[in-house]
Amino acid sequence: SFLTSFSEDSGLMVCEAKSEYASLQIDIRDGDTLLYRYYAPMTILPVKQMYSWYNFRNYSGQGRKRVSEHHVLLEEHNTKSLIFLHGANVSEDEAEVWGDVLFKRLWLSGMHADFYNVDWRSDIGTDLNYHQNASNAFVVASQIVSTQANNIPGEKVIMAHSLGNLVVS
């Protein structure tokens, strides 16, 4: 539940969630008399818990800070899964930012699909080592297909940026 206070003088209403899974209770009163009460169900989560994250950096011999996580945001089953792969020269931390931003933009635009952010090692060496990252795209692609691609449910829609398209191809 939420703790809510309203001040007629300032017109300010303050809400504070007691838990991640809460409902907003709206009371309309005339003095001490309750005229109407409405409960609006809500879920408050960090954005990283709203989509799935696949970390394939270990296929290229790199340790992982964040392990793969599977999250389903909506209780109803989506029939589509949107899979996103970032491009070249993206660190693991930058891949998280890509996923967060892209998920929020797609969600706000009305996307009704489970979202999967795929992180792969595309930052080998310096920016000048594009050939090493391109070669690694083939290694990662073969591993993704054999280990994870068939585990993603529903119709798959794939988006990629830059060198991520080589992984997809």
Side-chain angles (χ1 to χ4, degrees):
S1 65
F2 280 85
L3 297 175
T4 306
S5 63
F6 179 78
S7 167
E8 287 186 35
D9 297 333
S10 66
L12 178 68
M13 184 164 81
V14 178
C15 297
E16 176 186 339
K18 290 183 179 178
S19 67
E20 287 182 350
Y21 303 97
S23 63
L24 177 64
Q25 176 182 314
I26 300 170
D27 288 347
I28 299 175
R29 297 181 177 271
D30 183 9
D32 290 334
T33 306
L34 178 65
L35 300 175
Y36 180 75
R37 176 172 282 163
Y38 176 75
Y39 291 96
M42 300 181 129
T43 303
I44 301 169
L45 298 169
V47 70
K48 288 171 183 37
Q49 292 180 15
M50 296 177 155
Y51 65 86
S52 296
W53 167 270
Y54 283 140
N55 191 332
F56 294 121
R57 289 182 173 269
N58 61 318
Y59 294 149
S60 307
Q62 179 182 3
R64 298 181 286 187
K65 290 187 217 173
R66 182 176 177 190
V67 297
S68 296
E69 302 170 354
H70 179 73
H71 299 286
V72 175
L73 179 59
L74 301 174
E75 291 181 18
E76 72 264 9
H77 178 68
N78 288 316
T79 59
K80 288 188 180 181
S81 294
L82 193 147
I83 304 161
F84 173 73
L85 290 90
H86 61 74
N89 300 316
V90 176
S91 70
E92 190 170 354
D93 292 336
E94 291 167 336
E96 285 194 46
V97 173
W98 271 89
D100 292 355
V101 170
L102 189 58
F103 171 79
K104 287 188 271 186
R105 288 179 180 174
L106 291 168
W107 179 260
L108 290 172
S109 71
M111 174 188 73
H112 291 289
D114 292 329
F115 181 74
Y116 295 82
N117 188 33
V118 176
D119 182 26
W120 62 286
R121 190 173 181 199
S122 68
D123 58 344
I124 298 171
T126 67
D127 292 354
L128 300 176
N129 295 347
Y130 183 83
H131 62 287
Q132 289 178 325
N133 293 311
S135 177
N136 191 46
F138 290 106
V139 172
V140 172
S142 65
Q143 295 295 323
I144 291 174
V145 169
S146 66
T147 62
Q148 294 297 329
N150 293 328
N151 295 336
I152 296 175
E155 180 183 345
K156 295 166 187 69
V157 177
I158 301 174
M159 292 174 54
H161 177 260
S162 184
L163 191 57
N165 287 289
L166 186 58
V167 178
V168 171
S169 296

